[in-house]
Amino acid sequence: MSELVSLTRDGEVGIITVNNPPVNALSPGVPEGIASAIETIQKDDQLKAGILIGGGRTFIAGADIREFGKMTSGLRRGGSLLPFLLTIEDSTKPMIAAIHGTAFGGGLEFAMAFHYRVASPSAQVGQPEVKLGIIPGAAGTQRLPRLGGVAKAVEMCAIGDPISASEALKHGIVDRIIEGDLLSGAVAFAREVLASGAQPPKSRERDEKLAGDHSASFAAAREQAQKRMRGQSAPRAAIDAVEAATTMSFEDGCKKEAELFQQCLFDNQSKALIHVFFGEREVGKIPGIGKDTATIEIRKAAVIGAGTMGGGIAMNYANAGIPVIIREVSQEALDRGVATIAKNYANSVKKGRFSQEVMDRRMALITPQTTYQGFEDADIVVEAVFEGMDLKKQVFGELDKICKPGAVMASNTSTLNIDEIASATSRPQMVIGHHFFSPANVMRLLEIVRGKATSNEVIATSMALAKRLKKVGVLVGNCRGFVGNRMFHQYMREAQYLVEEGAGIPNVDAALYEFGMAMGPLATGDLAGLDVGWRIRKEYKDDQNETRGLKVADRLCESGRYGQKTGAGYYRYDENRRAIPDPDVEKLAEQVAVENGISRRTIGPDEIVERTIYALINEGAKILEEGFALRAVDIDIIYINGYGFPAWRGGPMWYGDTVGLKKVYDRVCEFHEQMGELWTPAPLLKQLAEHEKTFADFDKEKRAAAAG
Ligand code: T1G
């Protein structure tokens, strides 16, 4: 046995334990270790049955994703797991998989090749491969419909969400829930099976659930995949593979699955989604701020402002079980804010996301008030007042007198200078930006903005807190608009200029929607409120260096068209908030073009995408070389979790690498020629393009430098 897999015995039962922390992935040596343990059990007359269990916190969480890169770059030939699984299934002695934590991907596929599956109540099982742009590759699409039925299997494989142990039991995917100690329960189960003398069932031979017409399930799955995973190819492949299980033999179905798996594995989408998988874990690692950095314990929180953002932020704390005070200046505004919170929770209860009891518990953790009472006990205070520097400094000045020493003082500003806000206090080292995204209780991104005085302790506390609030925390520097909005400004600028140049508002949005953005830029502006950017432009009026400015947006706001909230912006909105193209706005854009000598022409979707997305990439490169983002992957994670950038394109910087930085750079130079300094190429983009390097190379060099 290897240290990755051990075999022990409890009387006549052999216990195979996988020890490959942190998640018992099927790294090289693990499948081999399991197979040889099973062989030993087969040959040992003393042993009558076998159990597979995970050491540590979980069962097998799947194939080792790090190995995929080696497979697609030819560094390692991908060995199929299928032969191992047949060895298990063909064992004449009953084999039981004992599941705790997560049996995901190859882990569930291994478990389904075992004759029986038992699970602890909190266990989860799933085929999340589509979230990595691939499909199950070890007969999961063939065994799961045989065990759990076609409808459940196609949903699990096409969407990739895990299911609970109780639901798995309901669908026949697991055979028993074990209360208490899992291993002793599994051994007792094994003895029960031995006593029953039952022939070990092989899931590959259980065709009874495949019978019948499943066309409705496949149609529903295709529709759902189109809605929830628009633009992605893996969900369609997963559905095709499960469908093959209903029309082919097990062996042929596995061949079909393997074919589709290979197609997905070598597709750019899976490379991008695997980049995002590891990126979401890497952004939590801050050079110089290790696991040994002290953190402040957050037991009580306070939020200033019960508006859209303040309310959402307070909900995050209550959702995490942290008592939170929410303060508003007037009772009327406070009541409005609390009513919105209650409405949001009630919607979730209605949708069955959680029970009324959970809602009541969360509402009870939120204390609404119009005073600062209790703020002196808060471990963290988050300011979410109106986006004006004077008001924010006034509030931080007040907090400086009230908050206890050691309390974290966070601002939810989306653009304002954190150092200037901190200068209103006597403890700038405790001040940090916690930039949530609207709706704050839904959006996963938390842009954490370090000021020049912010302490490592406060940064480490914020990164850990992000995880606790179920957010993806990304640390950025304190420049105007930080990372997300600074880049977004360039993207929105280009979208508007394209409108002035004749591209057409619906065309600009359609091009980016087809590209995969959750929503087109102009519709996004209307949703967020055009007045937000307008106020910021007015706040920064003194250093506006943009010759053209955003005249159409300014004129729309001057005429009270702030977007959805006023029923009109770039579009008009009907009573169901459906966007209706408005020729008046096109006329306004034409007028602005005439007034500013801008020539108008037909502009195709490719140029629309290049102008907007390359503006993101070029600004991202400037942010990297100025050090306001730690890695290119951090920018990718910000855009995917905060700005609706398609994860299957990997984020703007990864997308740049996929297109090829030489091509991006050359195009940026052309735009620079045509449109002047707004398109000044970032020196880093130039350097990488000329050296045929990528942003991924840039990150690799940064990692190496940080590792010293
Ligand atoms: N391979 C390699 N590393 C993995 C891994 C995996 N499958 N899963 C996690 N890690 C690393 C992760 O990068 C992190 O590293 C550490 O483990 C802890 O993870 C044949 C082809 C299991 C729910 O998609 O969903 O099987 O940052 O921070 O929040 O058909 O990890 O510490 O250096 O996420 O407690 C299918 C992926 C693979 C599951 C635990 N399986 N993992 O969450 O910890 S494809 C998956 C997860 C497959 C077969 C196909 C989660 C988790 P580091 P973590 P966590």
Side-chain angles (χ1 to χ4, degrees):
M1 286 304 103
S2 69
E3 81 273 0
L4 289 173
V5 178
S6 61
L7 175 61
T8 54
R9 52 191 68 216
D10 180 336
E12 75 283 28
V13 180
I15 297 157
I16 308 165
T17 306
V18 177
N19 293 303
N20 184 23
V23 295
N24 290 327
L26 292 163
S27 311
V30 172
E32 296 81 357
I34 296 171
S36 86
I38 287 181
E39 212 173 315
T40 307
I41 293 174
Q42 272 304 93
K43 291 196 185 111
D44 184 327
D45 295 341
Q46 303 307 310
L47 294 175
K48 308 292 184 214
I51 290 173
L52 176 68
I53 192 163
R57 65 184 171 125
T58 183
F59 188 74
I60 298 167
D64 187 332
I65 303 168
R66 290 191 191 287
E67 293 298 311
F68 293 157
K70 296 175 193 158
M71 288 156 78
T72 50
S73 57
L75 283 177
R76 191 175 85 78
R77 219 183 62 67
S80 167
L81 291 171
L82 291 178
F84 295 116
L85 302 184
L86 291 176
T87 316
I88 299 166
E89 203 163 43
D90 291 340
S91 152
T92 55
K93 299 179 180 179
M95 293 292 167
I96 294 122
I99 301 169
H100 73 298
T102 53
F104 283 178
L108 179 57
E109 290 169 306
F110 255 80
M112 291 192 290
F114 276 63
H115 304 122
Y116 302 96
R117 285 146 297 282
V118 299
S120 53
S122 60
Q124 288 192 309
V125 303
Q127 302 282 179
E129 285 89 344
V130 284
K131 296 178 191 259
L132 299 168
I134 55 176
I135 69 168
T141 62
Q142 305 305 305
R143 285 197 170 89
L144 190 55
R146 285 172 164 82
L147 285 179
V150 172
K152 195 67 199 170
V154 75
E155 179 205 305
M156 289 174 69
C157 293
I159 303 297
D161 291 339
I163 64 172
S164 66
S166 57
E167 202 181 346
L169 180 70
K170 194 174 83 194
H171 289 277
I173 298 168
V174 305
D175 301 288
R176 182 170 300 169
I177 303 287
I178 304 282
E179 302 290 344
D181 180 64
L182 176 65
L183 183 54
S184 52
V187 170
F189 181 90
R191 292 195 171 121
E192 227 181 273
V193 168
L194 287 171
S196 74
Q199 188 57 34
K202 300 180 181 183
S203 52
R204 74 172 188 267
E205 292 170 357
R206 297 168 63 173
D207 294 350
E208 60 280 9
K209 290 187 179 177
L210 299 179
D213 171 10
H214 301 286
S215 50
S217 300
F218 293 123
R222 288 191 169 97
E223 195 191 326
Q224 204 192 19
Q226 178 48 31
K227 265 208 215 99
R228 286 186 52 182
M229 302 173 98
R230 186 170 59 86
Q232 298 187 48
S233 50
R236 289 193 299 277
I239 296 166
D240 294 349
V242 174
E243 194 164 33
T246 64
T247 58
M248 300 178 185
S249 69
F250 178 80
E251 289 66 28
D252 290 347
C254 285
K255 288 200 192 90
K256 178 73 178 170
E257 176 194 87
E259 188 194 305
L260 291 163
F261 176 82
Q262 289 296 326
Q263 273 171 25
C264 291
L265 187 64
F266 287 85
D267 186 302
N268 277 339
Q269 293 197 3
S270 77
K271 295 188 181 81
L273 287 162
I274 290 169
H275 162 73
V276 172
F277 176 85
F278 287 118
E280 288 198 347
R281 283 141 186 92
E282 187 174 10
V283 291
K285 300 176 178 133
I286 314 295
I289 301 184
K291 289 200 170 68
D292 54 356
T293 303
T295 57
I296 299 156
E297 197 187 351
I298 306 295
R299 290 162 303 219
K300 188 174 177 186
V303 174
I304 303 177
T308 313
M309 294 309 292
I313 294 168
M315 289 174 75
N316 288 316
Y317 281 90
N319 298 353
I322 302 170
V324 56
I325 301 169
I326 186 165
R327 177 189 182 271
E328 233 332 325
V329 279
S330 72
Q331 191 59 44
E332 189 224 342
L334 187 62
D335 296 345
R336 213 176 26 248
V338 174
T340 305
I341 293 174
K343 196 171 102 253
N344 288 339
Y345 277 140
N347 278 342
S348 298
V349 171
K350 216 165 55 213
K351 291 188 185 132
R353 294 213 184 101
F354 47 76
S355 66
Q356 183 61 44
E357 189 241 333
V358 169
M359 169 177 170
D360 300 343
R361 204 170 44 236
R362 292 179 180 183
M363 287 298 289
L365 285 169
I366 298 174
T367 308
Q369 56 189 63
T370 56
T371 67
Y372 276 126
Q373 193 198 342
F375 271 60
E376 65 282 0
D377 303 329
D379 302 302
I380 182 167
V381 178
V382 185
E383 161 276 313
V385 301
F386 187 74
E387 191 74 347
M389 183 56 86
D390 301 344
L391 176 59
K392 293 200 187 274
K393 289 173 83 170
Q394 178 208 326
V395 169
F396 272 76
E398 290 164 6
L399 288 176
D400 196 31
K401 300 188 186 66
I402 298 164
C403 293
K404 65 182 179 185
V408 175
M409 301 166 75
S411 170
N412 179 55
T413 178
S414 57
T415 58
L416 298 177
N417 185 329
I418 294 291
D419 293 332
E420 191 174 345
I421 293 173
S423 68
T425 75
S426 59
R427 46 180 133 171
Q429 76 283 4
M430 302 312 291
V431 176
I432 191 163
H434 281 191
H435 178 205
F436 289 83
F437 286 72
S438 182
N441 56 308
V442 176
M443 295 297 282
R444 290 183 69 221
L445 180 64
L446 179 57
E447 202 178 29
I448 296 171
V449 189
R450 71 193 306 170
K452 63 176 181 289
T454 306
S455 72
N456 284 357
E457 188 188 21
V458 168
I459 293 172
T461 301
S462 299
M463 300 304 292
L465 182 61
K467 273 211 173 107
R468 219 169 136 201
L469 301 179
K470 300 242 181 307
K471 301 293 181 189
V472 180
V474 182
L475 185 68
V476 300
N478 179 35
C479 58
R480 188 172 133 196
F482 315 133
V483 170
N485 282 347
R486 175 176 161 178
M487 291 168 65
F488 202 64
H489 180 71
Q490 315 306 329
Y491 169 83
M492 290 300 280
R493 178 202 73 215
E494 283 305 308
Q496 175 160 229
Y497 287 178
L498 285 157
V499 169
E500 290 171 5
E501 294 160 29
I505 290 164
N507 299 343
V508 171
D509 279 349
L512 272 303
Y513 185 77
E514 283 315 307
F515 175 81
M517 297 298 282
M519 187 184 263
L522 305 163
T524 303
D526 277 358
L527 177 69
L530 302 177
D531 56 321
V532 179
W534 187 44
R535 289 182 212 293
I536 293 167
R537 287 193 294 282
K538 287 201 283 181
E539 179 89 24
Y540 280 97
K541 63 185 172 300
D542 49 4
D543 63 358
Q544 270 285 4
N545 61 8
E546 284 168 16
T547 46
R548 271 169 77 174
L550 300 186
K551 294 191 173 55
V552 173
D554 289 349
R555 302 263 180 96
L556 288 173
C557 289
E558 282 146 19
S559 65
R561 295 177 64 134
Y562 296 166
Q564 286 197 16
K565 59 181 149 187
T566 57
Y570 286 108
Y571 297 89
R572 275 192 181 288
Y573 293 86
D574 64 16
E575 62 283 357
N576 305 320
R577 288 188 176 241
R578 211 162 42 78
I580 303 156
D582 185 342
D584 291 348
V585 184
E586 297 292 359
K587 281 207 200 74
L588 171 64
E590 207 168 329
Q591 193 188 329
V592 165
V594 172
E595 288 165 8
N596 296 278
I598 298 162
S599 56
R600 291 170 59 86
R601 57 195 169 89
T602 306
I603 302 172
D606 293 351
E607 180 181 344
I608 292 170
V609 168
E610 288 176 337
R611 290 266 300 268
T612 47
I613 303 294
Y614 291 5
L616 285 177
I617 298 169
N618 194 37
E619 193 66 23
K622 291 176 183 170
I623 286 171
L624 282 173
E625 65 205 358
E626 293 164 19
F628 290 114
L630 287 170
R631 296 156 288 235
V633 69
D634 291 41
I635 297 177
D636 289 334
I637 299 305
I638 284 174
Y639 261 76
I640 287 163
N641 290 289
Y643 295 83
F645 196 98
W648 50 273
R649 290 193 187 274
M653 310 314 277
W654 181 269
Y655 174 71
D657 285 353
T658 310
V659 170
L661 295 186
K662 179 78 176 65
K663 177 167 180 233
V664 175
Y665 174 65
D666 292 348
R667 204 69 176 108
V668 169
C669 291
E670 283 168 34
F671 294 148
H672 187 211
E673 279 294 304
Q674 295 157 13
M675 287 174 268
E677 66 164 313
L678 286 173
W679 275 101
T680 306
L684 175 64
L685 178 60
K686 180 174 187 300
Q687 181 208 327
L688 293 172
E690 287 171 352
H691 294 85
E692 293 176 6
K693 284 196 168 180
T694 63
F695 289 118
D697 295 329
F698 174 85
D699 282 359
K700 226 179 269 153
E701 283 153 27
K702 291 271 313 242
R703 275 185 215 108

